[in-house]
Amino acid sequence: MAKLNYNELRYKTPSLSPLQRKIHDIIFEADTFWGKVFDITLLIFIFLSVTVTALDSVESIHSEYASFFNTCEWVFTVLFTIEYILRLYSVAKPLYYAISFFGIIDLVSILPNYVSLFIPEARFLSIVRILRFFRVFRLFKLVHFTHEVDLLLASLKRSVKRIAIFTFYVFIIVFCIGSIMYIIEGPENGFTSIPVSVYWAVVTLTTVGYGDISPKTPLGQAFSFFIMLLGYGIIAIPTGIVTSEMIVPKKEKITTQSCPYCCKEGHDTDAKFCKYCGKPLND
Amino acid sequence: MAKLNYNELRYKTPSLSPLQRKIHDIIFEADTFWGKVFDITLLIFIFLSVTVTALDSVESIHSEYASFFNTCEWVFTVLFTIEYILRLYSVAKPLYYAISFFGIIDLVSILPNYVSLFIPEARFLSIVRILRFFRVFRLFKLVHFTHEVDLLLASLKRSVKRIAIFTFYVFIIVFCIGSIMYIIEGPENGFTSIPVSVYWAVVTLTTVGYGDISPKTPLGQAFSFFIMLLGYGIIAIPTGIVTSEMIVPKKEKITTQSCPYCCKEGHDTDAKFCKYCGKPLND
Amino acid sequence: MAKLNYNELRYKTPSLSPLQRKIHDIIFEADTFWGKVFDITLLIFIFLSVTVTALDSVESIHSEYASFFNTCEWVFTVLFTIEYILRLYSVAKPLYYAISFFGIIDLVSILPNYVSLFIPEARFLSIVRILRFFRVFRLFKLVHFTHEVDLLLASLKRSVKRIAIFTFYVFIIVFCIGSIMYIIEGPENGFTSIPVSVYWAVVTLTTVGYGDISPKTPLGQAFSFFIMLLGYGIIAIPTGIVTSEMIVPKKEKITTQSCPYCCKEGHDTDAKFCKYCGKPLND
Amino acid sequence: MAKLNYNELRYKTPSLSPLQRKIHDIIFEADTFWGKVFDITLLIFIFLSVTVTALDSVESIHSEYASFFNTCEWVFTVLFTIEYILRLYSVAKPLYYAISFFGIIDLVSILPNYVSLFIPEARFLSIVRILRFFRVFRLFKLVHFTHEVDLLLASLKRSVKRIAIFTFYVFIIVFCIGSIMYIIEGPENGFTSIPVSVYWAVVTLTTVGYGDISPKTPLGQAFSFFIMLLGYGIIAIPTGIVTSEMIVPKKEKITTQSCPYCCKEGHDTDAKFCKYCGKPLND
């Protein structure tokens, strides 16, 4: 309801012609048939374009299909350029869109090809195209598991504060561990500087363990012995935070209304009668 | 009840002779004594056959026991061929079975030996035999912890949707991280292409951390510092999803009685009246 | 109570003299003062003995302190031999004790030194002494967090069945993944045989990731991409099982008695009055 | 309330002049405006000082900015020295402060520079400055998520006992695994001594997996196969402990009201009578 009113208000903005409104509906909304067709088509083109960029970065594939990939890239660039112009055209305040997060991404991901026309050396800019992949997030209106996503995000949002504190503590702990390890092992064992030792501490504490740097001295090994056991306990904390937040909504789902006769609460959502006094519940 | 009716219906299919029915009972069912004997025997032969294939792939063992393993393999192949023919014979629609998932696995896992008779070079095909191991899943009728498995699978099934969304997000995140890392580190530090960088991103985010590719530049190490902390948080999400789903059935256990009037179930333990029809519940 | 009766019964076994009973109380029980002193002393000697064995295995330390460690080891061996003889002496059925799990460990951990007297080459047997460490578990009677340990073990015991099923599934999955990877990568990329590939699959799925074997081909990397994401989900399952079992006892702790007047349940352990009708509760 | 009384009491200590009190308020408290300004300034200086020490440890940066970093370091040292003197001056019992944990850290983190004036070779002492980072913990009074931190710490505190037991078990298990692996693999495969093997066992069991030491023999690989599966299960335990503790406070949150007669708290939401004194509760 609120959204409808908002839409009405927007359509009263005098600067939008019927054509602009039509294009806006197709490009920015996913409620109409053509809006959905547009979004799915765009999704496919983004995936194709990203795949082409990814494969083109492989040396062996690049040397063989370079011209084919180049053609593809130009097709994508022209299409995304048309889309970008239409977006600018169909919006009441083009500048406002142009400087928005997605507006910048849209622009930046079509620029490299045009730049390379004038400055051939700018080929390396092509990697910027990968940013197109971020545009997928705009298309999430399509996704039908909105409720599931909402639940997931809601429980993550509730844990953000606690996870931020946790990360801050981990940051300090990791810095202290790294510094101590720098003193213990020293540059001759691969711990060339404090930043590198801190990097090692994160690699160890998160149980990633590349092994590019690993303790060599007995003291360093004994120390990392305890660091790893500590990491065992620390990894339990974010899991605990997220899990405990995820369990909450299940309970909240159950309790919504109170009985109009005995005022007791705690009824399931599918309950039609009060489970305490047997009187009918309001819907 | 429903199953019985289904069985009755099937036995009325005119094409099955008493012998076919008997064989079908033994090979496809696990309810009768001989059915169980058959399943356990088959299980043992599958395990033996897979063990032989596995040991045969070890060069040092192969060079010593090659002929013994070859004999074993022929015994298994002949037995599995007989079993395959019996399965085809005892089924009302052999073609329907032959093109089913297990039908194809059954066929494919006996073919290599016969093929190698005519084309000796086809020895490498023998690895296909390992697919036999998948047949173990058909024999799970035997397992007596059905209830436990059901509970486990039920909670996994309930989380499948949320885990699918989660995996989709991880997929995009991993692609973006890989691309950024490709720009930061570049081919000279082992990040030879975007696919390889994405592979590194997965190895890091899942805390596997082989170390075959690891960041060399300070910027790359600083970036992976945050990626690893992110991985810390991300690994908590599937755990949270699965755990929160596993806790649910425990609560549902509490609800035991059904309404004596409308027969509906799912009442809380403290409910005195049916929440669906408002009639009093028995205590 | 039950235990007392059991003790009374045992003391009626005619074969035990007062001295034997006394020794038995000190060595096998931890209720008396001297029993506790004995257990703590034994604990210290076990730790010392294990530390000596561990340090003696370090080449540089061994070459310097070999004779000192040898003396220590003889002291420990003599002490543990006396203890072993006393255990045999104070027990009604010495043979029954000698063939028990701890009896064998006790014997095996003192033998190597005596054997090395006659067969000097048997030095390598000395490693067997490490088994002494298992004896620590016998001394857990001392530990005062018995209740906490019980709760922990109880929730683990309840999850054992589900974890067994889970491990069985993981075993089959790991075997199939290993076999597929053996076909994809082959011996030339380090996946020399199926057992080695299965080993790699476990290293990857459990997120250990040594990196001694890692996929080299693009297809192998793409495949392990999905294996690692799968591992992400799979690691959530045992966590979910254990966590959901650990949450249960908390609830059970709360609900113990029912109100003698209104018969309602769900009272906290510290409740003195019924929270529903206000009548006093029995203690 | 209690805190005010405590403050009043302290201000009655005769030895503190008005100036001392004023400085004490600014340096040790964070309630006043200047107290907050001081704490934030100090926080910034600590971060700057630690950053300088960290960057200075990087060889390439050190060779270029050595003199600049040296100047910075002297500025920080002088400032921290003034702060240290003010802290000593504004406290009723300077010696009591000087030998406290933070007092020693404060002193130790300014000493290296002064020592290096007289003994130029003491440069390596500069690493001790990193200890300054610990001082950040003193400034946590500033943090506004006190409630969140308290909840987090409370649930960790409740799990400390169980995690201690868990760690003790893991310690013994890890020692036994390491010893067995030392026997299986031996010094020729990198398992040079028992301590090193125990180090490997921790690296494996915590799923860190550096890969600096990894099993080479088939038996060692088969054994670590089971160790890794065990690690899978073991990592679930601390997670289970922490998670189950984190879920508890959510339930306690439900209990809000205190008995109007005996003032005790901790009643369930469905309680009508105080469970401690039996008097009716307000709704």
Side-chain angles (χ1 to χ4, degrees), chain C:
Chain C
M1 209 64 171
K3 211 193 163 190
L4 241 147
N5 289 338
Y6 169 73
N7 277 343
E8 278 168 20
L9 274 169
R10 198 179 44 190
Y11 282 121
K12 279 170 190 156
T13 322
S15 59
L16 281 175
S17 73
L19 180 66
Q20 283 176 312
R21 276 179 206 172
K22 183 115 201 165
I23 294 170
H24 187 277
D25 273 10
I26 291 171
I27 296 186
F28 283 91
E29 313 280 326
D31 303 331
T32 61
F33 173 76
W34 288 110
K36 273 180 191 155
V37 166
F38 175 83
D39 278 6
I40 290 166
T41 315
L42 186 57
L43 200 64
I44 291 166
F45 274 109
I46 291 174
F47 270 98
L48 280 178
S49 143
V50 168
T51 308
V52 162
T53 309
L55 290 176
D56 199 29
S57 76
V58 184
E59 201 48 52
S60 61
I61 300 176
H62 172 75
S63 58
E64 208 164 333
Y65 299 99
S67 63
F68 171 69
F69 285 154
N70 197 30
T71 315
C72 285
E73 193 44 54
W74 272 108
V75 172
F76 296 136
T77 303
V78 168
L79 285 173
F80 290 146
T81 309
I82 294 167
E83 184 218 339
Y84 182 67
I85 291 164
L86 285 178
R87 278 185 194 272
L88 281 180
Y89 172 70
S90 70
V91 155
K93 298 175 177 173
L95 197 76
Y96 187 81
Y97 164 73
I99 61 165
S100 72
F101 175 72
F102 281 123
I104 291 169
I105 292 235
D106 286 355
L107 181 63
V108 163
S109 63
I110 52 173
L111 271 189
N113 267 37
Y114 296 115
V115 171
S116 69
L117 278 183
F118 305 101
I119 317 162
E121 296 81 27
R123 250 210 77 76
F124 75 96
L125 266 175
S126 64
I127 301 161
V128 178
R129 283 182 235 140
I130 297 154
L131 290 172
R132 280 174 198 160
F133 214 41
F134 283 105
R135 302 174 70 204
V136 170
F137 287 104
R138 177 154 58 187
L139 301 171
F140 269 167
K141 290 167 290 185
L142 273 178
V143 181
H144 283 298
F145 359 72
T146 322
H147 181 63
E148 290 285 329
V149 171
D150 285 354
L151 271 183
L152 206 63
L153 290 181
S155 46
L156 286 183
K157 239 172 243 170
R158 273 198 303 276
S159 17
V160 149
K161 213 176 171 186
R162 285 201 281 166
I163 284 185
I165 300 166
F166 167 75
T167 310
F168 181 67
Y169 274 87
V170 166
F171 188 85
I172 294 180
I173 290 171
V174 146
F175 203 98
C176 293
I177 291 172
S179 304
I180 294 170
M181 207 61 184
Y182 175 65
I183 301 174
I184 294 178
E185 292 275 329
E188 63 276 12
N189 290 315
F191 294 77
T192 48
S193 67
I194 290 175
V196 166
S197 301
V198 171
Y199 163 75
W200 169 86
V202 178
V203 168
T204 299
L205 212 63
T206 56
T207 78
V208 170
Y210 287 129
D212 49 352
I213 311 164
S214 64
K216 299 286 183 301
T217 63
L219 188 60
Q221 292 184 337
F223 183 65
S224 52
F225 181 105
F226 290 102
I227 299 312
M228 283 178 250
L229 282 187
L230 184 69
Y232 231 34
I234 285 180
I235 212 166
I237 294 172
T239 309
I241 292 171
V242 172
T243 306
S244 66
E245 287 302 343
M246 278 188 179
I247 289 164
V248 175
K250 308 234 155 283
K251 283 172 200 156
E252 281 172 358
K253 255 193 209 167
I254 300 164
T255 60
T256 40
Q257 53 179 170
S258 68
C259 173
Y261 297 89
C262 73
C263 295
K264 284 196 179 164
E265 294 185 351
H267 303 291
D268 296 344
T269 40
D270 58 348
K272 277 173 195 139
F273 291 88
C274 173
K275 64 181 179 175
Y276 299 106
C277 68
K279 297 274 165 54
L281 293 172
N282 298 334
D283 282 324

Side-chain angles (χ1 to χ4, degrees), chain A residues 25-246:
Chain A
D25 272 12
I26 291 171
I27 295 185
F28 282 91
E29 313 281 325
D31 303 332
T32 61
F33 173 74
W34 289 109
K36 272 179 191 156
V37 167
F38 176 83
D39 278 8
I40 291 166
T41 315
L42 187 58
L43 200 66
I44 292 167
F45 273 108
I46 291 174
F47 269 98
L48 280 178
S49 143
V50 168
T51 307
V52 162
T53 309
L55 290 177
D56 201 28
S57 76
V58 183
E59 202 48 50
S60 61
I61 300 177
H62 172 75
S63 59
E64 208 166 331
Y65 299 98
S67 62
F68 172 69
F69 284 154
N70 197 30
T71 315
C72 284
E73 193 44 57
W74 272 108
V75 171
F76 295 137
T77 302
V78 168
L79 285 173
F80 289 148
T81 309
I82 294 169
E83 184 217 339
Y84 182 64
I85 292 166
L86 285 178
R87 278 186 193 270
L88 282 180
Y89 172 71
S90 70
V91 157
K93 298 177 177 172
L95 198 76
Y96 187 82
Y97 165 72
I99 61 165
S100 71
F101 175 70
F102 280 122
I104 290 168
I105 293 238
D106 285 356
L107 182 63
V108 162
S109 64
I110 53 172
L111 271 189
N113 267 37
Y114 295 115
V115 171
S116 69
L117 277 185
F118 305 102
I119 316 159
E121 295 80 29
R123 252 210 76 78
F124 75 95
L125 267 175
S126 64
I127 302 160
V128 179
R129 283 183 236 140
I130 296 154
L131 290 172
R132 279 173 199 161
F133 214 43
F134 282 106
R135 301 174 72 204
V136 169
F137 286 103
R138 178 154 58 187
L139 301 171
F140 269 170
K141 290 166 292 185
L142 272 178
V143 180
H144 284 298
F145 1 72
T146 322
H147 181 64
E148 290 285 328
V149 172
D150 286 355
L151 272 182
L152 205 62
L153 291 181
S155 47
L156 287 183
K157 240 171 243 171
R158 273 197 305 274
S159 15
V160 150
K161 213 175 172 185
R162 284 200 281 167
I163 284 185
I165 301 165
F166 167 74
T167 311
F168 181 68
Y169 274 88
V170 167
F171 188 84
I172 294 180
I173 290 170
V174 146
F175 204 97
C176 294
I177 291 172
S179 304
I180 295 169
M181 206 63 185
Y182 174 65
I183 300 173
I184 294 177
E185 291 276 329
E188 63 276 13
N189 290 316
F191 293 76
T192 49
S193 68
I194 290 175
V196 164
S197 301
V198 171
Y199 162 77
W200 170 85
V202 179
V203 168
T204 299
L205 212 63
T206 56
T207 77
V208 170
Y210 286 130
D212 48 353
I213 310 161
S214 64
K216 300 285 183 301
T217 64
L219 187 59
Q221 293 184 338
F223 183 65
S224 51
F225 181 103
F226 291 102
I227 298 312
M228 283 179 253
L229 281 188
L230 183 69
Y232 229 34
I234 286 180
I235 212 166
I237 295 172
T239 309
I241 293 172
V242 171
T243 306
S244 66
E245 288 301 343
M246 277 188 181

Side-chain angles (χ1 to χ4, degrees), chain A residues 57 148 210 268 272 275, chain B residues 162 179 194 204 268 272 275:
Chain A
S57 76
E148 290 285 328
Y210 286 130
D268 297 344
K272 280 177 194 133
K275 64 181 181 178
Chain B
R162 284 201 280 167
S179 303
I194 291 175
T204 300
D268 295 345
K272 277 173 197 141
K275 63 180 180 176

